[in-house]
Amino acid sequence: MKKMMLMAVTALMVAGCSSDENGNGTTNEAPKYITVNANISGLTKAATDHTGAMVFEAGDAISVYAWTGDKNALPTSLQGYVVANAINTYDGSLWTAQPQMLWKNMTDSHYFLAVYPQKDITVSTDFNLDTQDQQASDILVAVNKGSNDAGITATNNAIPLVFDHIMAKLQINLNYRNQWAQTPEADVKVTAKTTGTIDYLNKSVTANGEAQTVGVMAVSTPVDGYEKTCETVMIPQQGFNTITVTINNKDYIYTHANDFVLERGKMTVVNLIVGRDEIELGSVTINNWNEGNIYGDGEDIEVPGE
């Protein structure tokens, strides 16, 4: 199974081109057009290159925004942006913007924000978790306010935008005692908040609403050493401490002594051993999609039998 990183260290390069109408002049002319070139390492996307790094695929699209004025406040409508939700689509080698992105002028400080997957951030900041669409639920945001937050004036130089995960991730790994003649089918659920409000400028999301039952989806290839791995993108939060594993219509419930912590850009990993009458906690970690701190190890939790 591919290991994923805490932060999507994505270099999104925004560059100014020439001032002639077709953008084909020399780079010493006044910049006019803005184009993008994106390279990815670490996104939670299925496609990987030969090194295992995550990469954009043909057909992927990002939303790019630019504004002037108050660096600490996003415009409240598309009309307030210099670049307003320009959809940049990748064809496998180049990015094409629609509509074309232009600098406002040569002197104003510009601030940049980009979102993956593409999204009109002025319509709503509400978020509803869709566990059936993990890619759409794993929102990444990039912000560049220039050096010392002084903004960026029109330039032909490349402008990097670094994408971060603003959601959390939950991974549950299962092993089974040998009481079963064969590996049982198991469904995994947690109870947690599935709605929130996104602050794009600060790359954060705040959970709200009532907790709901969330199915944690099985992945095709379990983590090494485990018989089943289930994963889901989650809204960062505390407040839930129970995992339910259902086998043959029987619920095996593990309750942690403290709340599980789902942190922005990190993956909480829970390793469980399931027997006919109990669940044993192997370990709980919060990590950079790979390794992290162990909160507990070897706790035995009794579950009443049928």
Side-chain angles (χ1 to χ4, degrees):
M1 180 178 183
K2 298 295 185 183
K3 293 185 177 180
M4 299 179 181
M5 300 173 63
L6 155 68
M7 184 179 296
V9 214
T10 300
L12 176 65
M13 311 305 290
V14 181
C17 296
S18 76
S19 64
D20 72 291
E21 282 299 311
N22 296 316
N24 295 320
T26 60
T27 56
N28 60 359
E29 297 180 22
K32 179 178 180 181
Y33 296 127
I34 303 171
T35 59
V36 295
N37 177 32
N39 298 301
I40 298 181
S41 175
L43 278 180
T44 49
K45 289 173 54 60
T48 58
D49 64 14
H50 66 283
T51 68
M54 302 299 169
V55 296
F56 278 123
E57 296 177 283
D60 281 342
I62 55 178
S63 291
V64 177
Y65 298 82
W67 74 101
T68 59
D70 188 352
K71 65 184 177 184
N72 295 318
L74 294 175
T76 57
S77 66
L78 287 180
Q79 290 72 27
Y81 286 91
V82 175
V83 175
N85 191 20
I87 306 301
N88 284 256
T89 304
Y90 189 52
D91 67 2
S93 60
L94 298 173
W95 291 86
T96 301
Q98 183 60 42
Q100 175 65 59
M101 300 181 294
L102 304 172
W103 297 97
K104 179 180 180 180
N105 54 42
M106 300 297 105
T107 57
D108 283 0
S109 294
H110 292 63
Y111 310 100
F112 291 86
L113 182 148
V115 181
Y116 173 85
Q118 67 182 75
K119 186 179 292 289
D120 184 346
I121 64 175
T122 66
V123 172
S124 175
T125 57
D126 293 337
F127 174 81
N128 293 288
L129 179 69
D130 182 359
T131 59
Q132 301 300 311
D133 192 341
Q134 293 288 296
Q135 186 166 312
S137 292
D138 187 15
I139 298 173
L140 296 103
V141 178
V143 176
N144 190 338
K145 297 180 182 180
S147 179
N148 297 318
D149 288 355
I152 303 167
T153 55
T155 176
N156 287 307
N157 295 324
I159 302 170
L161 293 172
V162 178
F163 281 90
D164 297 323
H165 297 277
I166 67 170
M167 297 298 165
K169 193 171 187 180
L170 175 64
Q171 180 186 89
I172 299 173
N173 298 310
L174 299 180
N175 272 334
Y176 307 102
R177 292 302 185 192
N178 59 7
Q179 295 137 325
W180 283 283
Q182 58 185 15
T183 302
E185 292 294 328
D187 292 323
V188 180
K189 300 182 292 293
V190 299
T191 301
K193 294 181 178 180
T194 60
T195 60
T197 303
I198 296 175
D199 182 340
Y200 288 100
L201 192 55
N202 290 309
K203 300 183 181 180
S204 65
V205 55
T206 302
N208 54 42
E210 297 296 322
Q212 307 290 329
T213 299
V214 179
V216 187
M217 302 174 62
V219 300
S220 57
T221 304
V223 169
D224 287 346
Y226 291 90
E227 296 179 76
K228 184 165 189 171
T229 294
C230 298
E231 294 181 349
T232 185
V233 172
M234 298 284 284
I235 296 174
Q237 61 188 280
Q238 298 185 43
F240 82 94
N241 65 347
T242 301
I243 297 172
T244 301
V245 179
T246 303
I247 300 174
N248 297 330
N249 297 317
K250 176 180 176 179
D251 289 340
Y252 296 81
I253 300 173
Y254 172 71
T255 302
H256 196 44
N258 303 301
D259 288 344
F260 291 113
V261 178
L262 297 175
E263 296 186 54
R264 178 186 70 176
K266 295 186 179 182
M267 180 165 67
T268 297
V269 180
V270 181
N271 301 318
L272 297 174
I273 303 172
V274 185
R276 285 188 183 274
D277 296 309
E278 67 180 12
I279 295 180
E280 299 173 8
L281 174 66
S283 63
V284 179
T285 65
I286 296 178
N287 55 53
N288 298 352
W289 260 231
N290 290 315
E291 298 178 357
N293 298 318
I294 297 177
Y295 285 103
D297 195 11
E299 301 177 30
D300 293 344
I301 304 299
E302 294 294 331
V303 178
E306 294 179 314

